[in-house]
Amino acid sequence: MHIIRISAVWCSSCIVTYQDFLNLKRDYPMFTYEELDYDNDHIQKYKVGRVLPILLFFKGKKEVYRLEGEYRKKELEAIIHEKMGM
C-alpha cells in the first residue's frame, strides 16, 4: 500500500494531525509514504479541494480510499484494517 499525505504549512489541522501520521509511518513500515505540499507540489492530478490534510490510500496505482480533514491514529488504523484488508 502507498499512502500520500497532502498538507500545507498554513493549515492548523495539518499541524495537529502530523504526529499521528508520523506514528502511522513508524507502526506500519511495510507501506510506502509520500508527503506533498498543497502550495508547492503538483497535486492537481489528485483532484484536491481546500480541505486539508488529505490522505490518499493506494493499492497499486488505484486510489482505494480518501480521508479529508483532521484524523487520529485510531481512525487511520481502522481504515487500514477495514478498507485495506489488513
PDB file of all heavy atoms in Angstrom, residues 1 3 17 19-31 33 55 57 65 67 70-86:
ATOM      1  N   MET A   1       0.841  -1.165   0.000  1.00  0.00           N
ATOM      2  CA  MET A   1       0.000   0.000   0.000  1.00  0.00           C
ATOM      3  C   MET A   1       0.887   1.229   0.000  1.00  0.00           C
ATOM      4  O   MET A   1       1.957   1.235   0.593  1.00  0.00           O
ATOM      5  CB  MET A   1      -0.912   0.013   1.221  1.00  0.00           C
ATOM      6  CG  MET A   1      -1.800   1.227   1.221  1.00  0.00           C
ATOM      7  SD  MET A   1      -2.865   1.520   2.659  1.00  0.00           S
ATOM      8  CE  MET A   1      -2.928   0.038   3.515  1.00  0.00           C
ATOM      9  N   ILE A   3       0.632   5.443   0.752  1.00  0.00           N
ATOM     10  CA  ILE A   3      -0.183   6.484   1.373  1.00  0.00           C
ATOM     11  C   ILE A   3       0.446   7.835   1.065  1.00  0.00           C
ATOM     12  O   ILE A   3       1.634   8.048   1.315  1.00  0.00           O
ATOM     13  CB  ILE A   3      -0.293   6.279   2.895  1.00  0.00           C
ATOM     14  CG1 ILE A   3      -0.920   4.912   3.192  1.00  0.00           C
ATOM     15  CG2 ILE A   3      -1.106   7.409   3.529  1.00  0.00           C
ATOM     16  CD1 ILE A   3      -0.913   4.532   4.657  1.00  0.00           C
ATOM     17  N   THR A  17      -2.512  16.976  13.151  1.00  0.00           N
ATOM     18  CA  THR A  17      -2.523  15.554  12.796  1.00  0.00           C
ATOM     19  C   THR A  17      -1.163  15.008  12.384  1.00  0.00           C
ATOM     20  O   THR A  17      -1.036  13.798  12.176  1.00  0.00           O
ATOM     21  CB  THR A  17      -3.515  15.303  11.640  1.00  0.00           C
ATOM     22  OG1 THR A  17      -3.112  16.078  10.506  1.00  0.00           O
ATOM     23  CG2 THR A  17      -4.929  15.655  12.049  1.00  0.00           C
ATOM     24  N   GLN A  19       1.684  14.394  13.945  1.00  0.00           N
ATOM     25  CA  GLN A  19       2.277  13.373  14.816  1.00  0.00           C
ATOM     26  C   GLN A  19       1.595  12.023  14.615  1.00  0.00           C
ATOM     27  O   GLN A  19       2.247  10.986  14.620  1.00  0.00           O
ATOM     28  CB  GLN A  19       2.222  13.795  16.285  1.00  0.00           C
ATOM     29  CG  GLN A  19       2.977  12.843  17.202  1.00  0.00           C
ATOM     30  CD  GLN A  19       4.455  12.736  16.853  1.00  0.00           C
ATOM     31  OE1 GLN A  19       5.148  13.740  16.712  1.00  0.00           O
ATOM     32  NE2 GLN A  19       4.940  11.519  16.684  1.00  0.00           N
ATOM     33  N   ASP A  20       0.281  12.023  14.419  1.00  0.00           N
ATOM     34  CA  ASP A  20      -0.421  10.768  14.159  1.00  0.00           C
ATOM     35  C   ASP A  20       0.044  10.150  12.841  1.00  0.00           C
ATOM     36  O   ASP A  20       0.161   8.932  12.730  1.00  0.00           O
ATOM     37  CB  ASP A  20      -1.933  10.985  14.141  1.00  0.00           C
ATOM     38  CG  ASP A  20      -2.471  11.242  15.537  1.00  0.00           C
ATOM     39  OD1 ASP A  20      -2.125  10.483  16.457  1.00  0.00           O
ATOM     40  OD2 ASP A  20      -3.233  12.209  15.701  1.00  0.00           O
ATOM     41  N   PHE A  21       0.321  10.984  11.853  1.00  0.00           N
ATOM     42  CA  PHE A  21       0.849  10.479  10.585  1.00  0.00           C
ATOM     43  C   PHE A  21       2.234   9.867  10.783  1.00  0.00           C
ATOM     44  O   PHE A  21       2.523   8.794  10.267  1.00  0.00           O
ATOM     45  CB  PHE A  21       0.885  11.599   9.543  1.00  0.00           C
ATOM     46  CG  PHE A  21       1.443  11.165   8.227  1.00  0.00           C
ATOM     47  CD1 PHE A  21       0.726  10.320   7.398  1.00  0.00           C
ATOM     48  CD2 PHE A  21       2.686  11.607   7.808  1.00  0.00           C
ATOM     49  CE1 PHE A  21       1.235   9.917   6.174  1.00  0.00           C
ATOM     50  CE2 PHE A  21       3.205  11.208   6.591  1.00  0.00           C
ATOM     51  CZ  PHE A  21       2.484  10.352   5.772  1.00  0.00           C
ATOM     52  N   LEU A  22       3.077  10.542  11.560  1.00  0.00           N
ATOM     53  CA  LEU A  22       4.408  10.000  11.843  1.00  0.00           C
ATOM     54  C   LEU A  22       4.318   8.673  12.589  1.00  0.00           C
ATOM     55  O   LEU A  22       5.080   7.740  12.319  1.00  0.00           O
ATOM     56  CB  LEU A  22       5.233  11.006  12.647  1.00  0.00           C
ATOM     57  CG  LEU A  22       5.637  12.284  11.925  1.00  0.00           C
ATOM     58  CD1 LEU A  22       6.394  13.206  12.877  1.00  0.00           C
ATOM     59  CD2 LEU A  22       6.445  11.989  10.680  1.00  0.00           C
ATOM     60  N   ASN A  23       3.384   8.576  13.530  1.00  0.00           N
ATOM     61  CA  ASN A  23       3.189   7.323  14.264  1.00  0.00           C
ATOM     62  C   ASN A  23       2.716   6.213  13.330  1.00  0.00           C
ATOM     63  O   ASN A  23       3.129   5.064  13.475  1.00  0.00           O
ATOM     64  CB  ASN A  23       2.189   7.513  15.401  1.00  0.00           C
ATOM     65  CG  ASN A  23       2.743   8.381  16.512  1.00  0.00           C
ATOM     66  OD1 ASN A  23       3.948   8.545  16.660  1.00  0.00           O
ATOM     67  ND2 ASN A  23       1.847   8.964  17.291  1.00  0.00           N
ATOM     68  N   LEU A  24       1.876   6.561  12.377  1.00  0.00           N
ATOM     69  CA  LEU A  24       1.424   5.585  11.395  1.00  0.00           C
ATOM     70  C   LEU A  24       2.609   5.057  10.587  1.00  0.00           C
ATOM     71  O   LEU A  24       2.754   3.848  10.403  1.00  0.00           O
ATOM     72  CB  LEU A  24       0.394   6.222  10.464  1.00  0.00           C
ATOM     73  CG  LEU A  24      -0.203   5.307   9.406  1.00  0.00           C
ATOM     74  CD1 LEU A  24      -1.206   4.355  10.053  1.00  0.00           C
ATOM     75  CD2 LEU A  24      -0.863   6.126   8.321  1.00  0.00           C
ATOM     76  N   LYS A  25       3.475   5.952  10.158  1.00  0.00           N
ATOM     77  CA  LYS A  25       4.657   5.556   9.395  1.00  0.00           C
ATOM     78  C   LYS A  25       5.555   4.628  10.226  1.00  0.00           C
ATOM     79  O   LYS A  25       6.079   3.649   9.716  1.00  0.00           O
ATOM     80  CB  LYS A  25       5.450   6.789   8.955  1.00  0.00           C
ATOM     81  CG  LYS A  25       4.794   7.573   7.847  1.00  0.00           C
ATOM     82  CD  LYS A  25       5.505   8.862   7.540  1.00  0.00           C
ATOM     83  CE  LYS A  25       6.877   8.666   6.965  1.00  0.00           C
ATOM     84  NZ  LYS A  25       7.500   9.918   6.516  1.00  0.00           N
ATOM     85  N   ARG A  26       5.686   4.941  11.491  1.00  0.00           N
ATOM     86  CA  ARG A  26       6.514   4.116  12.383  1.00  0.00           C
ATOM     87  C   ARG A  26       5.904   2.732  12.591  1.00  0.00           C
ATOM     88  O   ARG A  26       6.601   1.725  12.545  1.00  0.00           O
ATOM     89  CB  ARG A  26       6.669   4.830  13.723  1.00  0.00           C
ATOM     90  CG  ARG A  26       7.501   4.047  14.746  1.00  0.00           C
ATOM     91  CD  ARG A  26       7.310   4.549  16.157  1.00  0.00           C
ATOM     92  NE  ARG A  26       5.936   4.272  16.583  1.00  0.00           N
ATOM     93  CZ  ARG A  26       5.210   5.084  17.333  1.00  0.00           C
ATOM     94  NH1 ARG A  26       5.699   6.220  17.767  1.00  0.00           N
ATOM     95  NH2 ARG A  26       3.977   4.770  17.673  1.00  0.00           N
ATOM     96  N   ASP A  27       4.590   2.679  12.789  1.00  0.00           N
ATOM     97  CA  ASP A  27       3.928   1.425  13.124  1.00  0.00           C
ATOM     98  C   ASP A  27       3.618   0.541  11.915  1.00  0.00           C
ATOM     99  O   ASP A  27       3.353  -0.650  12.078  1.00  0.00           O
ATOM    100  CB  ASP A  27       2.636   1.708  13.891  1.00  0.00           C
ATOM    101  CG  ASP A  27       2.902   2.330  15.255  1.00  0.00           C
ATOM    102  OD1 ASP A  27       4.059   2.270  15.726  1.00  0.00           O
ATOM    103  OD2 ASP A  27       1.955   2.894  15.838  1.00  0.00           O
ATOM    104  N   TYR A  28       3.629   1.116  10.718  1.00  0.00           N
ATOM    105  CA  TYR A  28       3.335   0.365   9.502  1.00  0.00           C
ATOM    106  C   TYR A  28       4.448   0.587   8.474  1.00  0.00           C
ATOM    107  O   TYR A  28       4.233   1.150   7.401  1.00  0.00           O
ATOM    108  CB  TYR A  28       1.972   0.771   8.923  1.00  0.00           C
ATOM    109  CG  TYR A  28       0.818   0.393   9.828  1.00  0.00           C
ATOM    110  CD1 TYR A  28       0.385   1.253  10.835  1.00  0.00           C
ATOM    111  CD2 TYR A  28       0.187  -0.835   9.685  1.00  0.00           C
ATOM    112  CE1 TYR A  28      -0.663   0.899  11.675  1.00  0.00           C
ATOM    113  CE2 TYR A  28      -0.858  -1.203  10.531  1.00  0.00           C
ATOM    114  CZ  TYR A  28      -1.278  -0.326  11.525  1.00  0.00           C
ATOM    115  OH  TYR A  28      -2.304  -0.684  12.351  1.00  0.00           O
ATOM    116  N   PRO A  29       5.657   0.125   8.781  1.00  0.00           N
ATOM    117  CA  PRO A  29       6.787   0.376   7.883  1.00  0.00           C
ATOM    118  C   PRO A  29       6.721  -0.416   6.579  1.00  0.00           C
ATOM    119  O   PRO A  29       7.497  -0.151   5.664  1.00  0.00           O
ATOM    120  CB  PRO A  29       7.996  -0.062   8.724  1.00  0.00           C
ATOM    121  CG  PRO A  29       7.455  -1.085   9.653  1.00  0.00           C
ATOM    122  CD  PRO A  29       6.051  -0.630   9.974  1.00  0.00           C
ATOM    123  N   MET A  30       5.776  -1.344   6.479  1.00  0.00           N
ATOM    124  CA  MET A  30       5.656  -2.125   5.252  1.00  0.00           C
ATOM    125  C   MET A  30       5.002  -1.336   4.118  1.00  0.00           C
ATOM    126  O   MET A  30       5.050  -1.745   2.974  1.00  0.00           O
ATOM    127  CB  MET A  30       4.871  -3.422   5.501  1.00  0.00           C
ATOM    128  CG  MET A  30       3.384  -3.232   5.788  1.00  0.00           C
ATOM    129  SD  MET A  30       2.982  -2.510   7.392  1.00  0.00           S
ATOM    130  CE  MET A  30       3.231  -3.863   8.501  1.00  0.00           C
ATOM    131  N   PHE A  31       4.419  -0.181   4.437  1.00  0.00           N
ATOM    132  CA  PHE A  31       3.810   0.673   3.427  1.00  0.00           C
ATOM    133  C   PHE A  31       4.812   1.719   2.955  1.00  0.00           C
ATOM    134  O   PHE A  31       5.792   2.005   3.647  1.00  0.00           O
ATOM    135  CB  PHE A  31       2.583   1.395   3.982  1.00  0.00           C
ATOM    136  CG  PHE A  31       1.507   0.482   4.501  1.00  0.00           C
ATOM    137  CD1 PHE A  31       0.742   0.872   5.576  1.00  0.00           C
ATOM    138  CD2 PHE A  31       1.263  -0.756   3.924  1.00  0.00           C
ATOM    139  CE1 PHE A  31      -0.264   0.043   6.063  1.00  0.00           C
ATOM    140  CE2 PHE A  31       0.266  -1.588   4.403  1.00  0.00           C
ATOM    141  CZ  PHE A  31      -0.498  -1.189   5.470  1.00  0.00           C
ATOM    142  N   TYR A  33       5.248   5.783   1.821  1.00  0.00           N
ATOM    143  CA  TYR A  33       4.614   7.052   2.169  1.00  0.00           C
ATOM    144  C   TYR A  33       5.199   8.168   1.322  1.00  0.00           C
ATOM    145  O   TYR A  33       6.368   8.142   0.960  1.00  0.00           O
ATOM    146  CB  TYR A  33       4.842   7.376   3.653  1.00  0.00           C
ATOM    147  CG  TYR A  33       4.264   6.331   4.578  1.00  0.00           C
ATOM    148  CD1 TYR A  33       5.007   5.220   4.961  1.00  0.00           C
ATOM    149  CD2 TYR A  33       2.972   6.455   5.063  1.00  0.00           C
ATOM    150  CE1 TYR A  33       4.475   4.254   5.798  1.00  0.00           C
ATOM    151  CE2 TYR A  33       2.432   5.492   5.907  1.00  0.00           C
ATOM    152  CZ  TYR A  33       3.189   4.398   6.274  1.00  0.00           C
ATOM    153  OH  TYR A  33       2.661   3.451   7.102  1.00  0.00           O
ATOM    154  N   LEU A  55      -5.365  12.398   3.105  1.00  0.00           N
ATOM    155  CA  LEU A  55      -4.611  11.156   2.992  1.00  0.00           C
ATOM    156  C   LEU A  55      -5.243  10.344   1.881  1.00  0.00           C
ATOM    157  O   LEU A  55      -6.459  10.122   1.877  1.00  0.00           O
ATOM    158  CB  LEU A  55      -4.647  10.359   4.293  1.00  0.00           C
ATOM    159  CG  LEU A  55      -3.851  10.913   5.462  1.00  0.00           C
ATOM    160  CD1 LEU A  55      -3.974   9.984   6.661  1.00  0.00           C
ATOM    161  CD2 LEU A  55      -2.398  11.077   5.106  1.00  0.00           C
ATOM    162  N   PHE A  57      -5.066   6.694  -0.037  1.00  0.00           N
ATOM    163  CA  PHE A  57      -4.620   5.326   0.146  1.00  0.00           C
ATOM    164  C   PHE A  57      -4.675   4.621  -1.206  1.00  0.00           C
ATOM    165  O   PHE A  57      -5.723   4.589  -1.847  1.00  0.00           O
ATOM    166  CB  PHE A  57      -5.521   4.600   1.149  1.00  0.00           C
ATOM    167  CG  PHE A  57      -5.470   5.181   2.531  1.00  0.00           C
ATOM    168  CD1 PHE A  57      -6.213   6.306   2.862  1.00  0.00           C
ATOM    169  CD2 PHE A  57      -4.681   4.590   3.506  1.00  0.00           C
ATOM    170  CE1 PHE A  57      -6.166   6.838   4.146  1.00  0.00           C
ATOM    171  CE2 PHE A  57      -4.635   5.109   4.793  1.00  0.00           C
ATOM    172  CZ  PHE A  57      -5.367   6.244   5.110  1.00  0.00           C
ATOM    173  N   TYR A  65      -9.099   4.698  -1.095  1.00  0.00           N
ATOM    174  CA  TYR A  65      -9.751   5.435  -0.011  1.00  0.00           C
ATOM    175  C   TYR A  65      -9.133   6.822   0.087  1.00  0.00           C
ATOM    176  O   TYR A  65      -7.945   6.999  -0.197  1.00  0.00           O
ATOM    177  CB  TYR A  65      -9.604   4.703   1.331  1.00  0.00           C
ATOM    178  CG  TYR A  65     -10.538   5.220   2.383  1.00  0.00           C
ATOM    179  CD1 TYR A  65     -11.883   4.898   2.361  1.00  0.00           C
ATOM    180  CD2 TYR A  65     -10.077   6.054   3.388  1.00  0.00           C
ATOM    181  CE1 TYR A  65     -12.760   5.392   3.316  1.00  0.00           C
ATOM    182  CE2 TYR A  65     -10.944   6.543   4.358  1.00  0.00           C
ATOM    183  CZ  TYR A  65     -12.280   6.212   4.310  1.00  0.00           C
ATOM    184  OH  TYR A  65     -13.138   6.704   5.251  1.00  0.00           O
ATOM    185  N   LEU A  67      -9.197  10.268   2.785  1.00  0.00           N
ATOM    186  CA  LEU A  67      -9.587  10.842   4.071  1.00  0.00           C
ATOM    187  C   LEU A  67      -9.244  12.324   4.037  1.00  0.00           C
ATOM    188  O   LEU A  67      -8.091  12.695   3.823  1.00  0.00           O
ATOM    189  CB  LEU A  67      -8.840  10.138   5.208  1.00  0.00           C
ATOM    190  CG  LEU A  67      -9.118  10.608   6.622  1.00  0.00           C
ATOM    191  CD1 LEU A  67     -10.586  10.381   6.972  1.00  0.00           C
ATOM    192  CD2 LEU A  67      -8.232   9.861   7.603  1.00  0.00           C
ATOM    193  N   GLU A  70      -9.199  16.519   9.621  1.00  0.00           N
ATOM    194  CA  GLU A  70      -8.477  16.004  10.792  1.00  0.00           C
ATOM    195  C   GLU A  70      -8.777  14.530  11.020  1.00  0.00           C
ATOM    196  O   GLU A  70      -9.871  14.057  10.736  1.00  0.00           O
ATOM    197  CB  GLU A  70      -8.850  16.804  12.037  1.00  0.00           C
ATOM    198  CG  GLU A  70      -8.240  18.180  12.048  1.00  0.00           C
ATOM    199  CD  GLU A  70      -8.417  18.896  13.370  1.00  0.00           C
ATOM    200  OE1 GLU A  70      -8.611  18.236  14.417  1.00  0.00           O
ATOM    201  OE2 GLU A  70      -8.348  20.131  13.351  1.00  0.00           O
ATOM    202  N   TYR A  71      -7.801  13.835  11.536  1.00  0.00           N
ATOM    203  CA  TYR A  71      -7.919  12.417  11.834  1.00  0.00           C
ATOM    204  C   TYR A  71      -7.025  12.113  13.022  1.00  0.00           C
ATOM    205  O   TYR A  71      -6.161  12.891  13.385  1.00  0.00           O
ATOM    206  CB  TYR A  71      -7.500  11.565  10.634  1.00  0.00           C
ATOM    207  CG  TYR A  71      -6.122  11.944  10.117  1.00  0.00           C
ATOM    208  CD1 TYR A  71      -4.966  11.473  10.731  1.00  0.00           C
ATOM    209  CD2 TYR A  71      -5.989  12.816   9.050  1.00  0.00           C
ATOM    210  CE1 TYR A  71      -3.715  11.863  10.284  1.00  0.00           C
ATOM    211  CE2 TYR A  71      -4.730  13.207   8.599  1.00  0.00           C
ATOM    212  CZ  TYR A  71      -3.603  12.725   9.208  1.00  0.00           C
ATOM    213  OH  TYR A  71      -2.357  13.110   8.776  1.00  0.00           O
ATOM    214  N   ARG A  72      -7.259  10.970  13.614  1.00  0.00           N
ATOM    215  CA  ARG A  72      -6.423  10.482  14.703  1.00  0.00           C
ATOM    216  C   ARG A  72      -5.874   9.119  14.288  1.00  0.00           C
ATOM    217  O   ARG A  72      -6.381   8.469  13.379  1.00  0.00           O
ATOM    218  CB  ARG A  72      -7.219  10.351  16.017  1.00  0.00           C
ATOM    219  CG  ARG A  72      -7.898  11.630  16.490  1.00  0.00           C
ATOM    220  CD  ARG A  72      -7.046  12.859  16.533  1.00  0.00           C
ATOM    221  NE  ARG A  72      -5.880  12.755  17.394  1.00  0.00           N
ATOM    222  CZ  ARG A  72      -4.950  13.677  17.468  1.00  0.00           C
ATOM    223  NH1 ARG A  72      -5.032  14.760  16.752  1.00  0.00           N
ATOM    224  NH2 ARG A  72      -3.923  13.518  18.258  1.00  0.00           N
ATOM    225  N   LYS A  73      -4.858   8.670  14.983  1.00  0.00           N
ATOM    226  CA  LYS A  73      -4.189   7.421  14.625  1.00  0.00           C
ATOM    227  C   LYS A  73      -5.146   6.231  14.652  1.00  0.00           C
ATOM    228  O   LYS A  73      -5.098   5.371  13.782  1.00  0.00           O
ATOM    229  CB  LYS A  73      -3.003   7.170  15.549  1.00  0.00           C
ATOM    230  CG  LYS A  73      -2.187   5.948  15.146  1.00  0.00           C
ATOM    231  CD  LYS A  73      -0.913   5.861  15.936  1.00  0.00           C
ATOM    232  CE  LYS A  73      -0.114   4.640  15.549  1.00  0.00           C
ATOM    233  NZ  LYS A  73      -0.504   3.467  16.330  1.00  0.00           N
ATOM    234  N   LYS A  74      -6.046   6.178  15.620  1.00  0.00           N
ATOM    235  CA  LYS A  74      -7.001   5.067  15.697  1.00  0.00           C
ATOM    236  C   LYS A  74      -7.883   5.019  14.446  1.00  0.00           C
ATOM    237  O   LYS A  74      -8.210   3.943  13.950  1.00  0.00           O
ATOM    238  CB  LYS A  74      -7.867   5.177  16.947  1.00  0.00           C
ATOM    239  CG  LYS A  74      -7.142   4.800  18.212  1.00  0.00           C
ATOM    240  CD  LYS A  74      -8.079   4.775  19.390  1.00  0.00           C
ATOM    241  CE  LYS A  74      -7.308   4.330  20.620  1.00  0.00           C
ATOM    242  NZ  LYS A  74      -8.191   4.077  21.744  1.00  0.00           N
ATOM    243  N   GLU A  75      -8.262   6.180  13.957  1.00  0.00           N
ATOM    244  CA  GLU A  75      -9.072   6.235  12.739  1.00  0.00           C
ATOM    245  C   GLU A  75      -8.272   5.716  11.541  1.00  0.00           C
ATOM    246  O   GLU A  75      -8.792   4.974  10.702  1.00  0.00           O
ATOM    247  CB  GLU A  75      -9.532   7.671  12.480  1.00  0.00           C
ATOM    248  CG  GLU A  75     -10.442   7.821  11.300  1.00  0.00           C
ATOM    249  CD  GLU A  75     -10.929   9.245  11.112  1.00  0.00           C
ATOM    250  OE1 GLU A  75     -10.499  10.154  11.844  1.00  0.00           O
ATOM    251  OE2 GLU A  75     -11.746   9.440  10.204  1.00  0.00           O
ATOM    252  N   LEU A  76      -6.999   6.086  11.479  1.00  0.00           N
ATOM    253  CA  LEU A  76      -6.144   5.612  10.390  1.00  0.00           C
ATOM    254  C   LEU A  76      -5.985   4.091  10.449  1.00  0.00           C
ATOM    255  O   LEU A  76      -6.047   3.412   9.423  1.00  0.00           O
ATOM    256  CB  LEU A  76      -4.770   6.277  10.461  1.00  0.00           C
ATOM    257  CG  LEU A  76      -4.750   7.796  10.304  1.00  0.00           C
ATOM    258  CD1 LEU A  76      -3.337   8.318  10.486  1.00  0.00           C
ATOM    259  CD2 LEU A  76      -5.309   8.198   8.970  1.00  0.00           C
ATOM    260  N   GLU A  77      -5.796   3.571  11.639  1.00  0.00           N
ATOM    261  CA  GLU A  77      -5.657   2.124  11.788  1.00  0.00           C
ATOM    262  C   GLU A  77      -6.941   1.396  11.391  1.00  0.00           C
ATOM    263  O   GLU A  77      -6.903   0.342  10.763  1.00  0.00           O
ATOM    264  CB  GLU A  77      -5.252   1.779  13.212  1.00  0.00           C
ATOM    265  CG  GLU A  77      -3.830   2.184  13.513  1.00  0.00           C
ATOM    266  CD  GLU A  77      -3.425   1.936  14.953  1.00  0.00           C
ATOM    267  OE1 GLU A  77      -4.297   1.922  15.844  1.00  0.00           O
ATOM    268  OE2 GLU A  77      -2.211   1.757  15.173  1.00  0.00           O
ATOM    269  N   ALA A  78      -8.095   1.972  11.735  1.00  0.00           N
ATOM    270  CA  ALA A  78      -9.369   1.367  11.348  1.00  0.00           C
ATOM    271  C   ALA A  78      -9.504   1.322   9.830  1.00  0.00           C
ATOM    272  O   ALA A  78      -9.965   0.320   9.265  1.00  0.00           O
ATOM    273  CB  ALA A  78     -10.529   2.140  11.968  1.00  0.00           C
ATOM    274  N   ILE A  79      -9.094   2.373   9.162  1.00  0.00           N
ATOM    275  CA  ILE A  79      -9.142   2.407   7.699  1.00  0.00           C
ATOM    276  C   ILE A  79      -8.241   1.322   7.126  1.00  0.00           C
ATOM    277  O   ILE A  79      -8.638   0.589   6.215  1.00  0.00           O
ATOM    278  CB  ILE A  79      -8.723   3.792   7.173  1.00  0.00           C
ATOM    279  CG1 ILE A  79      -9.798   4.821   7.513  1.00  0.00           C
ATOM    280  CG2 ILE A  79      -8.494   3.754   5.658  1.00  0.00           C
ATOM    281  CD1 ILE A  79      -9.365   6.254   7.316  1.00  0.00           C
ATOM    282  N   ILE A  80      -7.062   1.221   7.661  1.00  0.00           N
ATOM    283  CA  ILE A  80      -6.110   0.206   7.173  1.00  0.00           C
ATOM    284  C   ILE A  80      -6.693  -1.190   7.342  1.00  0.00           C
ATOM    285  O   ILE A  80      -6.665  -2.009   6.426  1.00  0.00           O
ATOM    286  CB  ILE A  80      -4.762   0.338   7.883  1.00  0.00           C
ATOM    287  CG1 ILE A  80      -4.044   1.605   7.376  1.00  0.00           C
ATOM    288  CG2 ILE A  80      -3.898  -0.898   7.663  1.00  0.00           C
ATOM    289  CD1 ILE A  80      -2.822   1.988   8.168  1.00  0.00           C
ATOM    290  N   HIS A  81      -7.299  -1.466   8.485  1.00  0.00           N
ATOM    291  CA  HIS A  81      -7.817  -2.796   8.747  1.00  0.00           C
ATOM    292  C   HIS A  81      -9.112  -3.075   7.991  1.00  0.00           C
ATOM    293  O   HIS A  81      -9.295  -4.174   7.467  1.00  0.00           O
ATOM    294  CB  HIS A  81      -8.007  -3.005  10.249  1.00  0.00           C
ATOM    295  CG  HIS A  81      -6.709  -3.050  10.983  1.00  0.00           C
ATOM    296  ND1 HIS A  81      -5.940  -4.183  11.035  1.00  0.00           N
ATOM    297  CD2 HIS A  81      -6.019  -2.094  11.660  1.00  0.00           C
ATOM    298  CE1 HIS A  81      -4.838  -3.923  11.714  1.00  0.00           C
ATOM    299  NE2 HIS A  81      -4.870  -2.664  12.111  1.00  0.00           N
ATOM    300  N   GLU A  82      -9.995  -2.083   7.885  1.00  0.00           N
ATOM    301  CA  GLU A  82     -11.284  -2.291   7.223  1.00  0.00           C
ATOM    302  C   GLU A  82     -11.193  -2.190   5.721  1.00  0.00           C
ATOM    303  O   GLU A  82     -11.688  -3.048   4.996  1.00  0.00           O
ATOM    304  CB  GLU A  82     -12.305  -1.273   7.737  1.00  0.00           C
ATOM    305  CG  GLU A  82     -12.704  -1.476   9.176  1.00  0.00           C
ATOM    306  CD  GLU A  82     -13.572  -0.352   9.694  1.00  0.00           C
ATOM    307  OE1 GLU A  82     -14.269   0.304   8.880  1.00  0.00           O
ATOM    308  OE2 GLU A  82     -13.557  -0.098  10.908  1.00  0.00           O
ATOM    309  N   LYS A  83     -10.578  -1.143   5.238  1.00  0.00           N
ATOM    310  CA  LYS A  83     -10.568  -0.861   3.801  1.00  0.00           C
ATOM    311  C   LYS A  83      -9.438  -1.556   3.051  1.00  0.00           C
ATOM    312  O   LYS A  83      -9.539  -1.804   1.870  1.00  0.00           O
ATOM    313  CB  LYS A  83     -10.452   0.650   3.550  1.00  0.00           C
ATOM    314  CG  LYS A  83     -11.493   1.496   4.232  1.00  0.00           C
ATOM    315  CD  LYS A  83     -12.835   1.299   3.613  1.00  0.00           C
ATOM    316  CE  LYS A  83     -13.846   2.229   4.267  1.00  0.00           C
ATOM    317  NZ  LYS A  83     -15.185   1.964   3.809  1.00  0.00           N
ATOM    318  N   MET A  84      -8.368  -1.847   3.753  1.00  0.00           N
ATOM    319  CA  MET A  84      -7.198  -2.370   3.080  1.00  0.00           C
ATOM    320  C   MET A  84      -7.015  -3.872   3.308  1.00  0.00           C
ATOM    321  O   MET A  84      -6.067  -4.453   2.823  1.00  0.00           O
ATOM    322  CB  MET A  84      -5.936  -1.624   3.534  1.00  0.00           C
ATOM    323  CG  MET A  84      -6.073  -0.111   3.525  1.00  0.00           C
ATOM    324  SD  MET A  84      -6.840   0.549   2.052  1.00  0.00           S
ATOM    325  CE  MET A  84      -5.469   0.526   0.951  1.00  0.00           C
ATOM    326  N   GLY A  85      -7.893  -4.485   4.096  1.00  0.00           N
ATOM    327  CA  GLY A  85      -7.815  -5.921   4.301  1.00  0.00           C
ATOM    328  C   GLY A  85      -6.616  -6.371   5.122  1.00  0.00           C
ATOM    329  O   GLY A  85      -6.071  -7.435   4.907  1.00  0.00           O
ATOM    330  N   MET A  86      -6.226  -5.569   6.082  1.00  0.00           N
ATOM    331  CA  MET A  86      -5.077  -5.933   6.928  1.00  0.00           C
ATOM    332  C   MET A  86      -5.582  -6.562   8.210  1.00  0.00           C
ATOM    333  O   MET A  86      -6.590  -6.306   8.692  1.00  0.00           O
ATOM    334  CB  MET A  86      -4.243  -4.706   7.271  1.00  0.00           C
ATOM    335  CG  MET A  86      -3.724  -3.968   6.111  1.00  0.00           C
ATOM    336  SD  MET A  86      -2.122  -4.397   5.479  1.00  0.00           S
ATOM    337  CE  MET A  86      -1.161  -4.849   6.838  1.00  0.00           C
TER     338      MET A  86
END
